[in-house]
Amino acid sequence: MNSSKKTLLFVLWSFPIMLFSQQPVNIIPQPVEMKINTGYFIIEKNTPVIFNKTNAELTHAASFLKSHIKNISGYILPENIHGKNSIQLIIKKTEGIGTEGYLLTVSPISVDITANTKAGIIYGIQSLFQTLPAIRTNAALRVPCMTIKDYPRFKWRGMHLDVSRHFFSPDFVKEYIDLLATYKMNTFHWHLTDDQGWRIEIKKYPKLTSVGAWRVDESNSMWGSSPQAKEGDSATYGGYYTQEQIKDIVKYAEERNVTIVPEIEMPGHSAAAIAAYPYLSCSQQQQLPMTGGNYRNISSVYCVGNDSVFTYLENVLTEVIKLFPSKYIHLGGDEVDKTSWKNCAKCQALKNRLGLKNEDELQSYLIKKVERFIISKHRKMIGWDEILEGGLAPEATVMSWRGESGGIAAAKMHHDVVMTPGTPLYFDHYQADPTTEPLAFGGFNSLKMVYDYNPVPKELQGEYEQYILGAQANLWAENISTAEHAEYMLLPRMLALAETDWTPGDKKNWDSFNQRLQSHFEKFGQRGIRYCKGNFRPDIKPLVQSGKLFAVLSSEIYGGEIYFTANGEQPTLKSSKYSTPVSIDSTVTLKAITVVNGKMMTNNVAQQSFVMDKAVGKNVVYANPVSSKYFADGPNTLTDGIRGTDIIGKYWHGIEGKDLIATIDLGDEENIHTISLGCLQSYRSWIMMPQYVKFEISDDGKSFTEVKTVDNDVPSNTMTAIKDFTANFPEQKARYIRVTAKALKGLTKDHPGKDLPAWIFADEIVVE
Ligand code: ACM
Ligand code: ZN
């Protein structure tokens, strides 16, 4: 070879290395140990995959690898041809990586994936895939040289999908499972039955699907306001999975190390089954399928006092257990309205015969009895945290959704727990500014909130930690009727959950995650997968330091800068650029925007008011207790100087069905001329303005004089509003102030919850 050719070759070989050697590796979830070396392994059309062909699991893993490489390159990699650069898959006893871990070593001449099990091999392959293009291009398949040692923090890395409220096709379910698997999630909780649709074919009970899977098409009305079905309407909206389709999906998931945990709800959330077989309810009356969240005259709970209900449940579960190899079978158990049991002769007879104290114990009786059946089939039962009420079944695993308290209680009783608290793991809640997002169930669970979640609460650190199997997010589908929308709610939050579930807590880093995420966004874009581009509305949080109040502004957006105003004006690039906490010295409203690459996100203006008034820091005494669910930052929420915004879970105190009667002691007699109370209306969350707010003052805290009553003027059908009820009056001296917000008698007749209690949400009593 002459020298000029050598030079040319040198240039050809070294040019790509120089150009690409800085290419970062953006694996999510972040591997436990990873070292990037210089150089590349290039997968070519004749790169062989080497593995032990007598091992069926390795053979499956190899075809999983080959089929993906074919999709992105067209290459059909040969198997077991030695003597060339190769990709090797090796199952052998390896210390320190557990049953799902793997070692991945990439050098210029080989890619080696080593693990104890097929699961580990699949995860090594997933990490390899994340270094390659997402779609078919002509680009070389270049894998950076590196060594990875990786294994998960938790064994339950779960993602749920509600296919009852809206039906999703088998193809979409596979795509969903594929997304889980890409990010090393290993559990798919398939919520197959609920009030609005039964989705799994049961051969012994064909009407469960011929009747229970279909409803009158009200998909153009809002969930909860859709008219109820009428006799003679045709039920055309819905669908179900045949047993053959389910077997195919189970196999698809198994190939990706995803276990499907089927949920068959009982004893509540069963209106669809009752529409198919009315004998299952206490009333045994015929009913039409539900169309949405309106439960008037609908039975949704199985009768516990009727033996034939247990025969039915066992027959259904027998078919379910045959279809799903999962160790866990989910029995639901949540949100059971036990009124029908109180009025049912059979249920009451059973309760008396067994000497049970109350209806909670009847529910516990049902769950324990079905658990015994499940154990007899060599499976384990899991249920929502209400299964704690009336006594936990002996071997039950608890899924903690109403916060973490159910999970904490169960773990202390030495039961396994999956953490899936509504905040931050309900992915049907908003992930960004509600004013610019598609309609969501309410709530607010941003990407960073999911990322920052620690599945082990401080109460369980140490001895009880072992009972936390892991964390799961839930995707309820009341407001999600299309595959695109489901993807949008899932992504990118599931990637944050994946890292929370996989990566050791001390190796998690938000900035690194956010940076790696950008390349995943690009890949979603290339693949036509919808995702939320992020929460562009800045977060404004109070910070008290050495007795002084500050506002801390932050943006979750990668590379986002914040500009803000304190004079009520709309922020622009000419406003102050945020760098350090803003000192709050007087009543002020901060407005802030995120700016990315010079582009202002003016549709996502954050606004937070801080008030400095005579009530700030003073104690509030309530006549009716504030709900523990909406206790905001604690007892002084109404006098903390921070006004509630349109985010329900933050800064507001909530009371259900009762008047809010709050008394403040100013400590000394003060001259006052204005008192106000801020209230929220959020129609879909059953939060309504009070009828009126009455303001009273007193010298002694015993006898009060009314200074003013302010009536509500917000229409009852307004979806979202914040109103200050303000009393201005001639200056007077007073030490005590009593504010009474009068509850509605019930939700108004246009509301889906007609006559049921409404919530009052209040924040900040301002006294001047
Ligand atoms: C639930 O969200 N009802 C478990
Ligand atoms: Zn009954």
Side-chain angles (χ1 to χ4, degrees), residues 194-195 197-198 208 212 269-278 280 287 302 312:
D194 211 306
D195 295 323
W198 183 282
L208 285 173
H269 285 281
S270 300
I274 292 168
Y277 296 100
L280 297 171
Q287 69 186 27
Y302 294 137
Y312 155 84

Side-chain angles (χ1 to χ4, degrees), residues 160 165 189 191 194 263 265 269 330 332-335 384-386 399 401-402 420 422 426 428 474 476 478:
H160 150 290
R165 274 53 178 269
H189 172 170
H191 186 78
D194 211 306
E263 180 179 357
E265 276 266 22
H269 285 281
H330 202 304
D334 58 320
E335 298 182 312
W384 301 109
D385 57 53
E386 288 94 330
M399 206 167 246
W401 72 279
R402 295 175 304 170
T420 177
Y426 268 37
D428 53 334
N474 299 332
W476 300 102
E478 284 91 340

Side-chain angles (χ1 to χ4, degrees), residues 453-529:
Y453 181 63
N454 181 0
V456 181
K458 61 179 185 317
E459 292 89 335
L460 298 180
Q461 280 163 12
E463 148 182 29
Y464 296 108
E465 207 163 320
Q466 58 180 306
Y467 298 107
I468 304 293
L469 299 181
Q472 171 178 302
N474 299 332
L475 192 52
W476 300 102
E478 284 91 340
N479 296 304
I480 304 171
S481 61
T482 65
E484 293 75 22
H485 192 181
E487 282 171 1
Y488 182 86
M489 300 308 279
L490 183 73
L491 302 173
R493 285 183 289 191
M494 188 191 71
L495 280 62
L497 174 65
E499 194 147 309
T500 288
D501 265 331
W502 182 281
T503 307
D506 61 0
K507 296 237 155 90
K508 280 173 70 184
N509 179 303
W510 163 254
D511 290 328
S512 152
F513 170 77
N514 209 357
Q515 182 184 345
R516 279 176 282 127
L517 185 61
Q518 305 312 306
S519 72
H520 294 259
F521 281 173
E522 215 167 288
K523 288 180 171 178
F524 294 151
Q526 290 164 348
R527 291 173 60 193
I529 295 176

Side-chain angles (χ1 to χ4, degrees), residues 593-695:
I593 52 169
T594 298
V595 173
V596 186
N597 297 327
K599 187 166 181 285
M600 297 192 292
M601 302 294 153
T602 47
N603 287 334
N604 298 265
V605 182
Q607 177 166 333
Q608 181 66 56
S609 299
F610 297 83
V611 289
M612 290 291 160
D613 66 281
K614 295 192 160 106
V616 168
K618 301 296 188 286
N619 284 340
V620 180
V621 176
Y622 285 106
N624 295 316
V626 172
S627 160
S628 58
K629 279 198 251 176
Y630 297 105
F631 204 49
D633 303 323
N636 282 359
T637 293
L638 293 200
T639 53
D640 63 1
I642 301 146
R643 302 298 313 267
T645 64
D646 56 3
I647 297 169
I648 290 167
K650 240 169 132 175
Y651 303 143
W652 295 96
H653 265 179
I655 289 190
E656 189 182 15
K658 295 213 168 79
D659 300 343
L660 177 146
I661 307 171
T663 307
I664 298 178
D665 177 356
L666 297 175
D668 279 312
E669 212 163 67
E670 300 265 6
N671 286 321
I672 60 175
H673 55 81
T674 304
I675 315 172
S676 76
L677 176 76
C679 291
L680 173 73
Q681 179 154 311
S682 180
Y683 181 91
R684 289 189 204 99
S685 304
W686 299 31
I687 300 166
M688 303 298 286
M689 290 293 167
Q691 297 180 47
Y692 59 80
V693 178
K694 181 166 77 177
F695 299 94

Side-chain angles (χ1 to χ4, degrees), residues 281-283 302-306 340-341 344-348:
S281 77
C282 289
S283 75
Y302 294 137
C303 178
V304 203
N306 181 351
S340 63
W341 296 348
C344 169
K346 289 200 210 76
C347 287
Q348 289 305 309

Side-chain angles (χ1 to χ4, degrees), residues 295-308:
Y295 284 77
R296 193 145 305 119
N297 303 319
I298 296 271
S299 294
S300 59
V301 180
Y302 294 137
C303 178
V304 203
N306 181 351
D307 281 343
S308 56

Side-chain angles (χ1 to χ4, degrees), residues 187-249:
T187 306
F188 172 48
H189 172 170
W190 204 359
H191 186 78
L192 283 162
T193 74
D194 211 306
D195 295 323
Q196 291 84 2
W198 183 282
R199 306 294 179 210
I200 170 174
E201 179 190 24
I202 300 293
K203 305 267 192 205
K204 214 172 192 128
Y205 300 96
K207 284 171 142 185
L208 285 173
T209 43
S210 68
V211 175
W214 303 97
R215 59 187 193 236
V216 179
D217 191 350
E218 292 294 350
S219 45
N220 289 327
S221 348
M222 279 214 325
W223 192 264
S225 329
S226 52
Q228 289 196 310
K230 293 185 299 300
E231 198 65 60
D233 284 349
S234 58
T236 54
Y237 186 80
Y240 66 92
Y241 309 99
T242 65
Q243 295 203 350
E244 284 313 306
Q245 287 170 328
I246 287 173
K247 284 180 202 162
D248 179 51
I249 292 169

